[in-house]
Amino acid sequence: MKLFSSLFLIFALTIPSVLLSQNVDNSYVIKVINEIASDKYEGRETGFPGCTKAEEYFVQEFRKLRLSPAGDSGTYFHHYTIPVSESSVKAALKIDERTFYQGYNEDFSVVYRSSWGEAEGEIVFAGYGIYNPEKNRNDFDSLDIKNKIVLIKRGAPRNDMASWMPSCIDSIKAEYCFRNGARGVLFFEPLLRTNQRVLRQSYGNYLAMVAVLKDFPVFSVDERVVRYIFSNAGQSYYRTISMIEMQPSSFATGRNCIMSAKGKNPEPINARNVLGMIPGNDRTLKNEYIIIGGHLDHVGMDENGRIWNGADDNASGVAVMLGIARAMKDHNFKPKRSIVFAAWTGEEMGLLGSKAWCERPTVDLSKTLVYFNLDMVALGNGKLNMPGIGYAPEITEFIKNNIDTTLLADVIWSEGGPGGSDHNNFLNAGIPAFAGMTAGTHPDYHQPGDDPEKVDPAILQYTGDFIYECSQKLANTNDVLLSAKRFDDNRLKLFSFAFFNPVSSSEYTALLKDRNFKLGIVKFACSDKGGDANQNFIQLIYALDSVLNRNPNKYMMATSAYDAMMSRSGLLAAFYPDAVGNDELKIKVLSRLGYRFAILDKNSFAYSDTLIMQNIIKTTRQYGIGLILDGLDSTHLKTITMNLSDPCLIVNSGDQDLTNEIIRNIIVNGHIIVFSPHLSRGMESDYAAFMKLQEIAGINNIVLSPSGFDDESLKYLQKFVKQIDMRTLDKDARYKIMGDNFYNIAVKSLQAD
């Protein structure tokens, strides 16, 4: 007995203090997961009986805990409607005797704006699916597509979307197949592999809103599906994919395909969120709110009755939320601020439940201190990801200063931002929000195997205790953590802009600190642009090498345009070719190191020497370097745009310099004009100038860039975008001028021949 007591004491002393101070009853959390992730809830798909049953279960638990109703009209429910157009799609794909699976990172998905319908027929391969008589290319030549399912590679040969417009766009390809008797289309894109420099094709490459192809399903399939199709046709996948870059290749595959896509709900869905609250007891602070929530719904079941129970995603998050509420009631916690507990639905359909609530909240959203989102918190490596510090700096600092270090030890803080869970809608409303998700792998994500027996009790316990402590401390502090200014600040942080006026390398770290940009250009200038070419060359090498792969202030310098565009905040390097004597070998080396742009200004030697200009154009094109024309007058602009077939960026040039001849060159060759709204000119003047530029050059040849990087300039740019949104632009046009038009330059110009 004495030995046992000694061993118990030793064991107790070795248990981390976090385990000795458990607040949340983990057995209750696991009980909730076992209940709502059981088969009787049929995968909890929004609008279906299983989800309705789960909503009722949460109401019962809220009542047991005597939480105050926080829904509509004194109830626990917040009602909203999901239109048929937003209803999730039940899709099926069967090729010969093999069934494929729908979903993100799975076998196939339904292309955005595809109509619902069913189709059956033999699969025929049509290469890029391009019909362009003007360029003597017909990928359908000698191919019978009537009553067939057509397999098509997305994009254009050599990734040169600009040259093949509009015949390379998905909607054009699909419409050609539809009008020539095909039953459906399967699009695919090869996987990106190591060191493969393929750029994102961003020409609004999805099906058109007009001319909907009725009863004509269009799917996007994974490369492994294409390999399966090819295996029956005696065709080499790699050889075929390589061949169609140079010439058409089409053939019948001998595979039979059945595809169907239909809305799971023929009528609008009357959906419900579930909300309860512990009211605050302070006369003033009770009107401020802390919200803890997660999504209750999952993806349901398939036509064969197989159920996706969604234990980790996301029975775990709402169960932990419920466990925190129970712990607070058990401990008779009397908060000064009110604490709201929310179980959202419609998340798997596109974050629809939390979106509806944020648009029509049942408490004062402007008085919400913070939202803690819990999504997939039952598996992983024991760490808890907490992205959101960039939008909640005061809340983060408070937590770090007031929570026990043993609880903080396993938290991974990060900048955060909009993403694929319900915190997204709070951020869009200007509310500080954390997207709590446990770190490590979640192997059964959106798989039938996401069952209760796989959850990790220790991870659930840690997550519950941490959020409990954070919420309790925040609810009772007298610190002022709510300010009107934070809403404007957070909305500005959400405003993701690109800057195409090159920033000096000596200033970029200071200028871009804490800025929420998606892509930018930095010019690395030598101390003496006209000095010794060899010394300047070495200086440029060292300058870029010193910052590559660093991550200061959450941005990265990239060596390829693809990497820059795929990162949250990517930078591309630019240089003056005059600095290295316009030497072809030096330019080649700088390109291999990672310089992506060459800058020509009005002092460039290229304008006084035709041979130099021809050499720069040839060399930059050969080594995948784009050109930036910086501050040129109409004479210089005319000269260079006349000689340049690849598209370039034109910055710091007013519309007064754009003669008819220059505009013609811009439109023909796809050059992009950078337009920078400026506070000193005023909104009406800027709007008029933008509209004039759009009229003469077209919406496809303009990008927006801030005039500066101070708060005033960025807020002005944000107001300008809202202004043209309200008056003129649709969503697709806004995306074009906010960056997609630039991406189209990258597709053609920033790749080596």
Side-chain angles (χ1 to χ4, degrees):
M1 185 68 178
K2 187 179 291 186
L3 175 62
F4 176 80
S5 299
S6 299
L7 289 173
F8 179 81
L9 178 61
I10 293 170
F11 175 71
L13 290 173
T14 60
I15 299 176
S17 59
V18 61
L19 295 180
L20 294 175
S21 59
Q22 296 174 352
N23 287 304
V24 175
D25 180 356
N26 211 34
S27 63
Y28 173 70
V29 172
I30 293 172
K31 175 187 171 185
V32 173
I33 294 173
N34 286 335
E35 174 67 23
I36 65 173
S38 64
D39 285 354
K40 70 180 181 180
Y41 289 86
E42 299 178 337
R44 308 187 308 281
E45 183 174 358
T46 302
F48 284 75
C51 190
T52 301
K53 189 183 297 183
E55 294 158 13
E56 299 286 353
Y57 173 82
F58 265 72
V59 168
Q60 292 174 18
E61 294 303 300
F62 281 3
R63 284 186 177 134
K64 288 178 186 177
L65 297 175
R66 297 184 180 177
L67 298 182
S68 299
D72 297 326
S73 305
T75 72
Y76 291 104
F77 290 123
H78 170 263
H79 298 265
Y80 66 100
T81 301
I82 301 175
V84 174
S85 60
E86 292 183 315
S87 173
S88 59
V89 176
K90 185 183 288 291
L93 177 65
K94 187 174 182 180
I95 300 175
D96 287 347
E97 298 305 314
R98 182 170 172 178
T99 299
F100 293 92
Y101 297 102
Q102 176 191 9
Y104 177 73
N105 273 344
E106 295 186 21
D107 296 326
F108 76 98
S109 60
V110 180
V111 170
Y112 179 49
R113 294 177 181 159
S114 168
S115 66
W116 299 341
E118 299 181 358
E120 181 174 1
E122 182 188 8
I123 299 173
V124 293
F125 176 66
Y128 272 109
I130 289 176
Y131 175 72
N132 193 327
E134 294 178 0
K135 299 193 70 169
N136 292 319
R137 178 145 184 162
N138 180 6
D139 286 359
F140 301 96
D141 191 31
S142 303
L143 184 68
D144 178 16
I145 65 171
K146 189 172 183 179
N147 296 323
K148 305 294 196 305
I149 307 296
V150 187
L151 177 65
I152 295 173
K153 185 178 184 293
R154 275 199 164 102
R158 295 173 59 81
N159 217 20
D160 186 2
M161 296 283 285
S163 292
W164 292 96
M165 285 288 287
S167 60
C168 59
I169 298 300
D170 285 0
S171 58
I172 300 297
K173 298 176 182 180
E175 186 174 358
Y176 179 92
C177 294
F178 175 75
R179 299 199 181 287
N180 285 275
R183 294 286 181 87
V185 169
L186 302 175
F187 283 114
F188 76 97
E189 292 180 87
L191 293 171
L192 291 177
R193 293 176 171 82
T194 305
N195 298 323
Q196 186 175 355
R197 289 173 56 191
V198 177
L199 304 182
R200 184 162 75 90
Q201 300 160 348
S202 298
Y203 274 95
N205 200 8
Y206 40 73
L207 301 186
M209 295 173 67
V210 297
V212 173
L213 310 180
K214 186 174 174 54
D215 300 323
F216 189 77
V218 181
F219 291 177
S220 178
V221 297
D222 188 86
E223 182 181 293
R224 56 183 174 267
V225 179
V226 183
R227 290 174 178 277
Y228 174 75
I229 295 170
F230 274 33
S231 67
N232 190 62
Q235 300 287 339
S236 165
Y237 173 79
Y238 283 117
R239 189 181 304 118
T240 303
I241 296 305
S242 176
M243 181 187 303
I244 62 176
E245 300 299 316
M246 306 304 297
Q247 62 187 31
S249 176
S250 58
F251 50 83
T253 68
R255 296 278 194 195
N256 190 70
C257 176
I258 301 174
M259 55 192 301
S260 68
K262 54 187 177 182
K264 292 185 179 181
N265 295 281
E267 302 292 336
I269 300 171
N270 293 318
R272 305 179 297 187
N273 299 310
V274 186
L275 297 104
M277 179 171 62
I278 301 177
N281 63 6
D282 182 272
R283 180 180 299 178
T284 302
L285 294 178
K286 69 180 181 181
N287 296 317
E288 295 182 7
Y289 302 92
I290 295 159
I291 304 178
I292 307 168
H295 72 93
L296 176 62
D297 64 311
H298 194 51
V299 297
M301 55 193 293
D302 66 16
E303 292 176 335
N304 298 318
R306 188 171 53 164
I307 299 172
W308 276 251
N309 281 318
D312 182 34
D313 180 23
N314 181 42
S316 65
V318 287
V320 168
M321 175 269 290
L322 202 52
I324 294 168
R326 188 184 189 201
M328 289 182 175
K329 296 297 285 188
D330 286 348
H331 298 158
N332 198 29
F333 179 49
K334 304 291 185 184
K336 294 179 180 179
R337 292 177 175 85
S338 299
I339 303 176
V340 177
F341 301 92
W344 314 112
T345 57
E347 194 269 357
E348 299 290 359
M349 291 182 176
L351 319 180
L352 300 181
S354 58
K355 178 176 182 288
W357 188 85
C358 286
E359 291 173 348
R360 189 176 56 82
T362 52
V363 301
D364 190 346
L365 195 59
S366 69
K367 294 293 181 67
T368 298
L369 204 68
V370 65
Y371 171 62
F372 291 113
N373 191 64
L374 297 173
D375 194 348
M376 297 172 63
V377 293
L379 296 170
N381 60 17
K383 306 283 187 182
L384 177 63
N385 284 320
M386 286 290 283
I389 63 175
Y391 299 83
E394 300 90 352
I395 303 294
T396 305
E397 183 179 3
F398 177 87
I399 291 172
K400 290 182 177 181
N401 290 335
N402 290 276
I403 301 298
D404 191 286
T405 54
T406 54
L407 272 174
L408 290 170
D410 288 325
V411 177
I412 303 172
W413 302 99
S414 60
E415 192 78 6
S421 195
D422 291 301
H423 69 287
N424 189 73
N425 291 312
F426 286 84
L427 291 178
N428 286 332
I431 308 300
F434 290 95
M437 178 184 291
T438 47
T441 59
H442 297 260
D444 291 304
Y445 169 68
H446 280 196
Q447 298 295 323
D450 185 7
D451 290 320
E453 59 268 20
K454 296 180 181 178
V455 304
D456 188 326
I459 292 175
L460 292 166
Q461 183 74 63
Y462 174 71
T463 303
D465 287 337
F466 176 71
I467 300 298
Y468 174 94
E469 288 291 333
C470 293
S471 305
Q472 186 184 52
K473 293 287 198 310
L474 286 164
N476 270 350
T477 183
N478 289 318
D479 293 3
V480 177
L481 296 172
L482 194 65
S483 66
K485 185 175 180 292
R486 69 180 183 144
F487 295 104
D488 288 336
D489 288 346
N490 279 346
R491 288 189 181 104
L492 182 58
K493 290 173 184 175
L494 283 169
F495 185 66
S496 182
F497 62 91
F499 63 92
F500 304 113
N501 292 300
V503 181
S504 170
S505 61
S506 62
E507 298 177 297
Y508 81 100
T509 53
L511 287 174
L512 303 181
K513 184 179 180 182
D514 300 326
R515 295 301 179 205
N516 187 37
F517 64 93
K518 56 186 174 183
L519 189 143
I521 301 170
V522 177
K523 56 182 176 185
F524 289 82
C526 302
S527 54
D528 182 6
K529 190 171 72 170
D532 182 83
N534 292 327
Q535 289 296 323
N536 289 343
F537 174 62
I538 294 171
Q539 187 177 337
L540 286 170
I541 290 176
Y542 276 117
L544 182 56
D545 187 61
S546 67
V547 299
L548 282 175
N549 303 318
R550 290 191 327 186
N551 188 28
N553 303 311
K554 306 295 185 269
Y555 50 75
M556 64 168 285
M557 186 69 67
T559 56
S560 75
Y562 177 82
D563 289 338
M565 287 186 284
M566 293 300 105
S567 68
R568 185 177 292 277
S569 299
L571 295 170
L572 296 172
F575 70 102
Y576 292 95
D578 284 351
V580 294
N582 298 299
D583 182 273
E584 180 177 348
L585 180 59
K586 291 182 174 67
I587 293 174
K588 175 182 177 181
V589 172
L590 292 176
S591 168
R592 296 292 168 84
L593 177 63
Y595 279 95
R596 293 271 61 86
F597 282 101
I599 302 173
L600 300 181
D601 61 16
K602 59 186 177 182
N603 299 315
S604 174
F605 298 149
Y607 302 114
S608 57
D609 191 314
T610 304
L611 190 60
I612 291 178
M613 179 183 292
Q614 291 175 346
N615 184 60
I616 289 175
I617 292 173
K618 169 180 168 290
T619 303
T620 52
R621 180 174 192 178
Q622 183 176 358
Y623 298 117
I625 295 175
L627 285 177
I628 297 174
L629 310 184
D630 187 10
L632 305 187
D633 57 30
S634 57
T635 302
H636 288 123
L637 275 177
K638 176 184 174 182
T639 301
I640 191 69
T641 56
M642 183 173 59
N643 287 278
L644 194 64
S645 59
D646 274 0
C648 67
L649 273 177
I650 301 172
V651 303
N652 296 325
S653 293
D655 55 272
Q656 70 276 7
D657 294 324
L658 302 178
T659 65
N660 290 337
E661 190 170 3
I662 294 171
I663 288 295
R664 185 167 59 252
N665 293 337
I666 288 171
I667 294 172
V668 169
N669 295 314
H671 303 313
I672 301 295
I673 304 163
V674 178
F675 184 87
S676 295
H678 203 290
L679 183 63
S680 64
R681 290 196 294 262
M683 190 63 67
E684 288 304 317
S685 178
D686 271 328
Y687 179 77
F690 174 80
M691 292 305 296
K692 179 181 178 183
L693 186 61
Q694 180 183 343
E695 181 183 348
I696 62 176
I699 196 66
N700 294 322
N701 299 95
I702 307 170
V703 290
L704 291 182
S705 189
S707 59
F709 299 96
D710 55 287
D711 285 344
E712 205 170 44
S713 297
L714 296 178
K715 287 179 180 177
Y716 184 71
L717 177 64
Q718 184 182 25
K719 289 178 182 177
F720 180 78
V721 174
K722 287 182 179 178
Q723 189 70 215
I724 59 178
D725 265 355
M726 289 188 297
R727 295 190 186 186
T728 313
L729 297 184
D730 59 23
K731 187 177 180 181
D732 292 342
R734 174 158 53 87
Y735 284 148
K736 286 182 178 182
I737 64 172
M738 291 301 290
D740 279 2
N741 286 338
F742 169 78
Y743 297 159
N744 298 332
I745 283 187
V747 167
K748 187 169 184 182
S749 297
L750 306 187
Q751 297 183 88
D753 285 344

